[in-house]
Amino acid sequence: MPPKASSVLALVLLLGQGMLSSPPPSGLLEKLFQHMDLHQDEFVQMPDGQSLPIPPILLAELGSDPKKPTVCFYGHLDVQPAQKADGWLTDPYTLTEVDGKLYGRGATDNKGPVLAWINAVSAFKALEQDLPVNIKFILEGMEEVGSVALEEVVRREKEHFFSSVDYIVISDNLWISQKKPALTYGTRGSCYFMVEVKCRDQDFHSGTFGGILNEPMADLVALLGSLVDSSGRILIPGIYDQMAPLTEEEKAMYENIDLDLEEYQKSSQVEKFLFDTKEELLMHLWRYPSLSIHGVEGAFDEPGTKTVIPGRVIGKFSIRLVPHMNMSVVEKQVKQHLESVFSKRNSFNKMTVSMVLGLHPWTANISDPQYLAAKRAIKTVFGVDPDMIQDGSTIPIAKLFQTITQKSVMMLPLGAVDDGEHSQNEKINRWNYIQGSKLFAAFFLELSKQHS
């Protein structure tokens, strides 16, 4: 253990003391839920404002009974920057409750879910009940800046801290609905590219040089315009050949998801999406690759007019990858395509293409015991079966844990789709937070049953 532990870790360690070994009595879950309802105001209380140094990666464990499954919770305690002047209605670093919504930076990403897990553990302690599972925590404070050193720690602890772990739970994403809970079983990967077109290092005056040279910006616009059409289809030859085939089972899962397309479009503040059905929209968010153009470096982008010809420009774009897509193949396809387009322009400029980031997609086995346990726990707490969803974004830690530890990884979100993670006025609903604490407690009991 690192010598400097935060107050959060101290709380976690204290929970392990004084637990009884008697089996859970009938009605235990009801007692746990009543305890959480009675103490929900305590769960919402903020720390005393003390300043702490940037925390190390914290590893903690409660229990080591070989007869019980061991579940490890990953969470992060750091947050995105925020200022009230950015458009917050309240101080982003003072938790504020308004109409059942808990506003504050990190409320849903990711401090709320971390505390919900701790609340579940503490409820067993408060009722002097033995935890039905062994608990481990891995909490970091650098996720928002790329999880500095996390991979190194996971590799180092593979045969130590993670050797007894059976299941890993991540709660760092959201439902696709405001009211219906979800389980996440996949995320897309990402390849980020830069394409540079260069004539010289200095810019040109368009009156002096316009019309007598190949302008880098014109070349770049043609290159970027060749990547995707107006319907969103990627124009790079062969890019769709590696996709996993669509099965009937997967198709049925899209049909069952609770998504009001009209409300989703309205809340997104867009006039119209490219697709008219829920199934098409979800498939293009989750199971098809997408290409997005992000920006141009070196171009004039300030207000006003400036008659400049950029001498060197860099276009930036990324491709979201889906299962079965090979990053090295995608990189080769992108380079071949751009080289072909550029060669047809007969430009005297120089073009270079580089892939600067590559992250694999992640897929889980939804028949795994912890997914079955989570489904039952959700039905117990919320009274409905969860939406089985994927996430169109890239969450590298899921693939990292799965690849290195070779353990089962599950994403169990607590937050609603409108929580606004990374945005102004981030919040988590008190209902999601308290019910989420209950969900984790129910999950412990269901996982114990599934494991045995």
Side-chain angles (χ1 to χ4, degrees):
M1 289 292 300
K4 294 182 179 179
S6 70
S7 56
V8 172
L9 180 60
L11 172 61
V12 173
L13 294 176
L14 285 172
L15 298 177
Q17 301 177 4
M19 295 200 171
L20 303 179
S21 58
S22 58
S26 60
L28 171 59
L29 205 53
E30 182 180 354
K31 292 179 181 178
L32 288 164
F33 290 178
Q34 289 174 350
H35 173 83
M36 291 177 186
D37 283 331
L38 290 172
H39 292 82
Q40 59 177 279
D41 286 338
E42 296 171 26
F43 295 162
V44 172
Q45 292 300 312
M46 292 294 287
D48 59 8
Q50 62 180 311
S51 297
L52 297 173
I54 295 176
I57 296 174
L58 305 176
L59 306 178
E61 56 186 306
L62 302 171
S64 57
D65 188 338
K67 296 179 182 178
K68 299 177 182 178
T70 298
V71 58
C72 178
F73 180 84
Y74 164 85
H76 68 89
L77 307 178
D78 59 319
V79 298
Q80 284 284 318
Q83 299 182 63
K84 195 167 187 295
D86 295 336
W88 283 74
L89 300 177
T90 62
D91 178 1
Y93 293 107
T94 300
L95 190 67
T96 306
E97 182 168 4
V98 180
D99 296 330
K101 296 177 173 62
L102 301 168
Y103 290 96
R105 177 56 90 219
T108 198
D109 183 19
N110 185 229
K111 292 181 179 180
V114 171
L115 287 171
W117 188 273
I118 293 174
N119 296 340
V121 176
S122 69
F124 281 89
K125 168 66 170 62
L127 296 174
E128 298 186 323
Q129 294 296 324
D130 185 34
L131 274 168
V133 296
N134 301 316
I135 297 285
K136 291 198 175 188
F137 288 83
I138 177 166
L139 305 176
E140 67 159 322
M142 301 292 283
E143 191 272 347
E144 299 291 5
V145 290
S147 294
V148 177
L150 179 63
E151 181 174 351
E152 177 186 347
V153 169
V154 176
R155 290 189 184 279
R156 187 183 70 214
E157 296 293 334
K158 177 183 177 181
E159 304 300 331
H160 305 287
F161 181 80
F162 290 102
S163 62
S164 61
V165 169
D166 298 298
Y167 310 102
I168 298 173
V169 175
I170 299 168
S171 293
D172 193 17
N173 59 324
L174 303 174
W175 301 346
I176 198 169
S177 165
Q178 291 187 24
K179 289 294 182 182
K180 188 178 179 185
L183 270 173
T184 306
Y185 65 93
T187 63
R188 291 192 292 189
S190 180
C191 290
Y192 201 103
F193 292 89
M194 293 195 180
V195 51
E196 178 187 89
V197 181
K198 179 180 177 180
C199 180
R200 70 175 190 182
D201 289 326
Q202 293 176 287
D203 292 344
F204 299 91
H205 188 292
S206 63
T208 306
F209 291 94
I212 64 171
L213 49 76
N214 294 123
E215 298 189 10
M217 181 65 89
D219 285 340
L220 182 61
V221 168
L223 291 169
L224 296 178
S226 75
L227 295 172
V228 63
D229 67 17
S230 60
S231 69
R233 182 169 179 81
I234 302 173
L235 300 176
I236 299 167
I239 200 76
Y240 293 100
D241 294 349
Q242 305 173 64
M243 281 175 44
L246 178 63
T247 64
E248 289 300 317
E249 181 183 10
E250 182 188 351
K251 202 173 180 181
M253 292 172 72
Y254 293 114
E255 295 171 358
N256 294 330
I257 289 173
D258 179 24
L259 178 67
D260 185 324
L261 196 58
E262 184 177 342
E263 177 60 32
Y264 186 67
Q265 183 172 313
K266 182 180 177 182
S267 64
S268 302
Q269 298 181 333
V270 297
E271 185 173 335
K272 195 174 189 314
F273 288 124
L274 293 175
F275 307 100
D276 297 322
T277 68
K278 173 185 68 175
E279 290 78 12
E280 285 182 306
L281 185 139
L282 292 177
M283 283 194 284
H284 282 84
L285 276 177
W286 297 344
R287 67 132 26 242
Y288 293 118
S290 64
L291 190 149
S292 299
I293 298 171
H294 304 296
V296 176
E297 185 178 327
F300 173 61
D301 64 346
E302 299 172 5
T305 59
K306 183 179 180 182
T307 55
V308 64
I309 298 172
R312 171 179 171 268
V313 286
I314 300 172
K316 303 175 183 182
F317 65 94
S318 70
I319 298 175
R320 295 286 177 176
L321 306 178
V322 294
H324 294 195
M325 292 182 76
N326 183 292
M327 274 196 296
S328 61
V329 172
V330 171
E331 180 182 15
K332 184 178 180 181
Q333 290 170 334
V334 168
K335 289 183 176 179
Q336 287 180 339
H337 170 72
L338 290 176
E339 287 165 358
S340 173
V341 173
F342 188 70
S343 67
K344 293 174 182 175
R345 288 185 61 80
N346 297 314
S347 173
F348 293 106
N349 295 322
K350 303 295 182 184
M351 184 202 73
T352 56
V353 184
S354 58
M355 188 177 81
V356 297
L357 178 67
L359 300 168
H360 292 281
W362 165 76
T363 305
N365 176 12
I366 60 174
S367 298
D368 185 271
Q370 74 166 332
Y371 270 90
L372 298 178
K375 285 181 183 178
R376 294 190 181 200
I378 288 171
K379 187 66 178 284
T380 298
V381 175
F382 294 96
V384 296
D385 292 319
D387 281 333
M388 297 303 295
I389 67 173
Q390 298 184 59
D391 196 314
S393 59
T394 304
I395 305 176
I397 53 170
K399 185 68 173 180
L400 183 149
F401 282 124
Q402 188 180 68
T403 300
I404 297 176
T405 69
Q406 295 295 296
K407 307 292 185 177
S408 168
V409 178
M410 178 178 70
M411 299 196 74
L412 179 55
L414 300 187
V417 69
D418 63 344
D419 277 355
E421 56 182 357
H422 289 204
S423 187
Q424 293 92 338
N425 303 307
E426 178 185 350
K427 59 86 177 172
I428 189 169
N429 300 325
R430 175 185 277 258
W431 181 77
N432 286 73
Y433 175 52
I434 300 303
Q435 295 301 104
S437 300
K438 296 176 184 178
L439 172 59
F440 286 145
F443 171 66
F444 297 160
L445 291 166
E446 288 292 347
L447 189 61
S448 177
K449 295 176 188 177
Q450 287 289 331
H451 192 79
S452 61

